Amino acid sequence: AQALAERLLAALPPSGLRVRSLVLDVMPDPEGVRVTYVDASSSVRQILARACIVSAPKLVARRLLDRASEAD
């Protein structure tokens, strides 16, 4: 996981990767995907992105992605 994060940090713009964050929701949007998360300072934030990589245990990823597909 650490190696993947380091490679992504090197390849993406500075705001392109949120580390130390807990994703609460991933929902499709006409412009891409809307991600709601808690950041390292415990603030709830929401971003709109063209794409999203979900790196989580299967149970968590399934819950997030199943919910997203229901909304689609």
Side-chain angles (χ1 to χ4, degrees):
Q2 182 67 30
L4 174 60
E6 289 171 2
R7 290 187 73 181
L8 289 171
L9 280 169
L12 295 170
S15 65
L17 185 64
R18 304 296 192 278
V19 295
R20 295 180 183 88
S21 298
L22 173 66
V23 173
L24 302 174
D25 199 23
V26 177
M27 296 301 278
D29 186 276
E31 297 178 38
V33 61
R34 191 167 301 278
V35 181
T36 305
Y37 66 99
V38 179
D39 68 11
S41 67
S42 299
S43 297
V44 176
R45 308 239 183 234
Q46 190 174 76
I47 58 170
L48 178 62
R50 289 180 299 186
C52 173
I53 297 171
V54 177
S55 177
K58 285 183 192 179
L59 179 66
V60 174
R62 182 178 303 145
R63 181 194 162 278
L64 290 170
L65 298 176
D66 281 351
R67 189 167 144 68
S69 66
E70 289 172 4
D72 206 13

